[in-house]
Every structure is written in structure tokens, then in C-alpha cells.
């Protein structure tokens, strides 16, 4: 089955810094999503991005499907960006998402 | 739309008791997913439905777990009898066409 690897596993930033999170996947996908789980446990869908680039405020994401990776950019980080960022994919008709282990981000004031 | 609504938010129960978790998906969404999250195993997909029909229940841990979706606006996950190892956060999510999930706030289950 498809393997999903995220890097780095942990990241500590000072408020205001920029960061790039990476998601590599081992096979072609037709669905890639980025999620943020905040420190209170809530899971928020950030982007549905099987290919191309999207932006939402300080966050943007790019997926290069042919090279099997996706990047999540966080600019001018804020303490509220802390939490775990997950990448999840699926392929074909199966709607079961395959999840990466996540990147744990801590933004210090 | 109010998003995906789960109830209760917290549940503490004694071992052996029946537990029922509830989920109201977003109106118009045709897929509904039940997940469990623990520190040890991360996020696990338990079961998902398409148009109220269970499609894949291979993640349901054992016969003590059952899930139903009697209509497009309601689903339940039942554990009977509950055991301490079932303690976890249970999430429900819905989506249209299986893409762009929206998660509920989760139910934190503690079995003592």
C-alpha cells in the first residue's frame, strides 16, 4: 500500500519565523489533504490539494504529484499555529485515507 | 452549517457497560468516517459509510464494536461491553465524494 512520510517529525519556532513541512508519498494519489490538530485535540482540514498550489492566509500548500511530494508553508508563525500537522492521502476508488505520522510544531512567543 | 456534531464530548463509564457515541454529519455530505485516536496507535479508521451504507469496516477492532447509519443525518458507534483499552478519543468526519474531510470535535471516552 501507499506509504506516507512526513518531515521533520518535530519543529520548534520563534513567533514570526517561517517554516516548510514536507509530505512524501510512495505512489500516485488522487486525494491529498493537510490537517492541523491543535493542542486541544481538534482536527482542522487545512487544504485538499492533490496537485497544484493553494493559499489561505499565512498558510499555503503545493503538491507536485509527478514527484510524489507535498509541501506546507507557514509564514510569520504564531503561537496558535502550534500543534500537529498531518498529511493524508488515498488513491483509486478507496476512500480510506493513509495518514502520515505528523509533524509536531511548537511556536514559542 | 454547524459542522460535524458529536456527542457526548466526554464519557466516563465502567468496564462492561454499553457506550454509544453519536454523530451528525454535515448536510449534503455522502461519506461518513469513524476514527479512533490514541497516543500509542495514532489515528485509526474504524469504519466508513457511503450514502448510509457501510463500505469498509476492516478497522473495527472486534465484535464488541458496531456502527450504524440509519439515515443521512445520524450515525452511532456502539461499544458493548466496554473495556479499559477502549479509552481513546473517537472522531467522526464527513465529506462529499470522500474528499475534503470535516472532523467533529471528538468524544473523549474513558473506561474505568
Amino acid at each position: 500500500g501507499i506509504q506516507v512520510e512526513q518531515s521533520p517529525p518535530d519543529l520548534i519556532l520563534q513567533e514570526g519565523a517561517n517554516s516548510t513541512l514536507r509530505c512524501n508519498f510512495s505512489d500516485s494519489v488522487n486525494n491529498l489533504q493537510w490537517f492541523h490538530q491543535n493542542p486541544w485535540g481538534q482536527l482542522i482540514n487545512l487544504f485538499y490539494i492533490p496537485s497544484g498550489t493553494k493559499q489561505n492566509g499565512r498558510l499555503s500548500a503545493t503538491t507536485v504529484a509527478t514527484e510524489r511530494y507535498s509541501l506546507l508553508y507557514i509564514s510569520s508563525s504564531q503561537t496558535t499555529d502550534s500543534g500537529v500537522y498531518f498529511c493524508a492521502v488515498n488513491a483509486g476508488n478507496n476512500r480510506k485515507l493513509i495518514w502520515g505520522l505528523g509533524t509536531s510544531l511548537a511556536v514559542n512567543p | 452549517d454547524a459542522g460535524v456534531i458529536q456527542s457526548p464530548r466526554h464519557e466516563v463509564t465502567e468496564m462492561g457497560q454499553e457506550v454509544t457515541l453519536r454523530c451528525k454529519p454535515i448536510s449534503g455530505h455522502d461519506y461518513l468516517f469513524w476514527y479512533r485516536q490514541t497516543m500509542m496507535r495514532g489515528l485509526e479508521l474504524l469504519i466508513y459509510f457511503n450514502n448510509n451504507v457501510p463500505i469498509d469496516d476492516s478497522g473495527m477492532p472486534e465484535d464488541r464494536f458496531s456502527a450504524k447509519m440509519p439515515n443521512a443525518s445520524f450515525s452511532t458507534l456502539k461499544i458493548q461491553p466496554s473495556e479499559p483499552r477502549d479509552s481513546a478519543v473517537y472522531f467522526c468526519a464527513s465529506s462529499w465524494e470522500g474528499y475534503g474531510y470535516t472532523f467533529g470535535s471528538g468524544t473523549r471516552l474513558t473506561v474505568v
Side-chain angles (χ1 to χ4, degrees):
Chain A
I2 296 176
Q3 306 294 314
V4 179
E5 293 183 357
Q6 292 187 243
S7 60
D10 301 281
L11 188 58
I12 300 175
L13 299 175
Q14 285 300 122
E15 204 166 25
N18 302 327
S19 63
T20 301
L21 282 55
R22 188 176 179 103
C23 172
N24 292 333
F25 43 95
S26 61
D27 206 342
S28 299
V29 300
N30 55 14
N31 179 3
L32 186 145
Q33 300 183 52
W34 283 98
F35 296 89
H36 174 219
Q37 187 165 34
N38 65 26
W40 296 270
Q42 190 163 8
L43 273 159
I44 306 295
N45 189 314
L46 299 175
F47 295 104
Y48 163 66
I49 185 165
S51 63
T53 297
K54 290 186 178 180
Q55 178 149 12
N56 184 0
R58 297 181 296 102
L59 301 181
S60 64
T62 295
T63 297
V64 183
T66 53
E67 297 188 22
R68 299 181 185 166
Y69 72 88
S70 183
L71 302 174
L72 178 68
Y73 306 95
I74 305 174
S75 65
S76 303
S77 59
Q78 300 177 358
T79 56
T80 52
D81 295 329
S82 297
V84 181
Y85 290 81
F86 292 102
C87 168
V89 306
N90 67 7
N93 293 324
N94 190 337
R95 296 294 189 259
K96 183 186 294 189
L97 284 178
I98 309 301
W99 293 74
L101 295 179
T103 292
S104 180
L105 174 65
V107 181
N108 295 326
Chain B
D1 201 319
V4 177
I5 299 173
Q6 291 188 245
S7 64
R9 290 295 306 274
H10 303 273
E11 176 83 32
V12 180
T13 190
E14 291 186 348
M15 185 173 62
Q17 295 298 306
E18 177 180 292
V19 175
T20 300
L21 311 182
R22 296 173 175 80
C23 176
K24 176 178 166 52
I26 289 175
S27 177
H29 280 188
D30 58 349
Y31 280 83
L32 184 139
F33 305 84
W34 282 100
Y35 279 86
R36 176 172 70 175
Q37 187 177 36
T38 60
M39 290 292 293
M40 294 293 294
R41 302 224 274 261
L43 270 166
E44 302 174 273
L45 176 66
L46 300 177
I47 185 171
Y48 76 91
F49 296 83
N50 176 221
N51 292 323
N52 315 336
V53 176
I55 303 300
D56 186 337
D57 65 353
S58 59
M60 296 285 263
E62 48 200 273
D63 292 345
R64 297 184 298 106
F65 285 68
S66 63
K68 293 182 181 178
M69 192 164 185
N71 56 62
S73 58
F74 184 63
S75 178
T76 59
L77 178 68
K78 189 174 293 187
I79 309 172
Q80 165 64 14
S82 57
E83 297 182 3
R85 61 192 166 122
D86 302 330
S87 298
V89 180
Y90 290 80
F91 288 101
C92 173
S94 71
S95 74
W96 182 74
E97 292 273 300
Y99 305 118
Y101 281 31
T102 300
F103 277 85
S105 299
T107 294
R108 182 173 296 276
L109 173 65
T110 303
V111 183
V112 298

